[in-house]
Amino acid sequence: MKPTWKNKRVTVMGLGLHTGGVETVRYFVKRGAKVLVTDLRPKKKLAESVAAVKGPNVSFRLGGHDRRDFVETDLVVANPAVHPSDGLLVAARRAKVPVDAEINFVFRASRAPIVGITGSNGKSTTTALIAHLLKASGKRVRLGGNIGKALLNTAETFTPRELAVLEVSSFQLEYLGRAELSPHIAVVMNVQPNHLNYHKTMAAYTKAKRQIVEHQSPRDVAILNADDRRVRGMAKFTKAKVLLFSVEREVAQGVWLDGGSARFRIGRKTGVIRGLDRMRIIGLHNRQNACAAIAAALAAGATPEAIEKALPSFRPLPHRLEVIARRRGVTFVNDSIATNPDSVRVALDTFDGGVILIAGGSPKDIPYAPMLRGIAEKVKLLLLIGQEAQKIEEAVRAFGAGQAEIVRAGTLDRAMKIARSCAVPGDTVLLSPACASFDQFRNFEERGERFAELAKK
């Protein structure tokens, strides 16, 4: 029996600037609940979101929280950016008030099998590619989750003949794990240091990622990166059938890279899928993304023939090694999604040298070691912006800057002005920040859009 929310009190913690908080409020208002929205940010900073949910059954407490809103209510729905160990959420649970998150309601409501994708890097591209391959094979797909489209208010309309393809963050997995929910097909791309300001330790971060497979049944499928020891080790924590993907070697069950093709062995079925070398997404990491997507698509019922035909038509997502412009022999590349050092390492591996790198932003409390060799070997000019500029400079100098000249530019606009004046034909101006964007921008998309705007001038 579905719970009824008519005249129930629901506290939504964290309205935010994205669609998730707004969709959560709308969901409960539509079901007759009386919703109180509370957020640490003042009304002025949340004006757009507040305007979107104003109504007779919605009240606000902005610029701070009140403990009573968490213990004198029927339900707390937390923004996943708030860790479940937050004191107010602990107080709610002690008062026997259920604490939940938007993603949990999506999982419970969906009658469509769910394909869930997570990882430190590559999950958005892989999520979009899986959806693309499934559609090409004639499947009906609902795409969303952390990739940018909230699905809460449509999840109840999903049918068993459809497939819900969802990108899932480690924040969301903290809540899914507590509810013992995992997708029918789970894909784990990689686990590299990230979001340690939230998870505190790598062990806790890895455990959060592991929740995507830990509550699967023997009828489900877990698709794991054979080239990542942390991910490979998740096989012992799931009851699901395990498929591996690799760009380094053949695997017993799963998909592996073979030149410009992917070979697969799933059960007794074997075959080859050509066309990876004709894809529009560049770099070895994207070959890895493709192998993972092929494994998921095959597990979900796509045909090898449809997959092979669809691979070359997949368009890269914005802000992911996106070539914005070429001006007087200089290439401008937007990799604003690179919010951790391992992503920057992967980006630098794509180029031979002559890179003017723009990096920096707000902290995530993770070490910069993974990108330092790439900077020393590939970067001629390092332009640092935002709150983390000093820490990055210190890390680079301690490692050895190689040929890289280091300049603290402060803002993205000034960094681009310096880059344009210093670049020569053959150079690449690369925005690959290694940091979050919240010190100067609303999100990584706004940062990337500003870079693109400046590059096209």
Side-chain angles (χ1 to χ4, degrees), residues 144-210:
N146 202 51
I147 199 168
K149 185 177 181 182
L151 297 176
L152 178 57
N153 283 291
T154 57
E156 289 182 349
T157 69
F158 296 179
T159 71
R161 291 189 172 188
E162 296 176 307
L163 287 158
V165 180
L166 310 181
E167 178 187 323
V168 190
S169 71
S170 60
F171 302 168
Q172 292 168 320
L173 285 166
E174 287 275 8
Y175 286 90
L176 284 168
R178 284 173 173 263
E180 298 186 356
L181 295 169
S182 290
H184 302 86
I185 299 175
V187 183
V188 187
M189 300 306 301
N190 43 62
V191 177
Q192 301 296 333
N194 202 1
H195 301 302
L196 296 188
N197 55 337
Y198 180 95
H199 296 286
K200 305 306 180 189
T201 67
M202 273 304 296
Y205 178 54
T206 303
K207 184 179 179 182
K209 289 293 190 187
R210 198 175 71 211

Side-chain angles (χ1 to χ4, degrees), residues 120 188-192 224-234 245 248-249 288:
S120 304
V188 187
M189 300 306 301
N190 43 62
V191 177
Q192 301 296 333
L224 306 177
N225 184 351
D227 306 331
D228 185 310
R229 64 175 179 82
R230 292 188 181 98
V231 177
R232 195 170 60 242
M234 293 181 185
F245 62 93
E248 296 178 359
R249 61 185 182 276
Q288 189 174 67

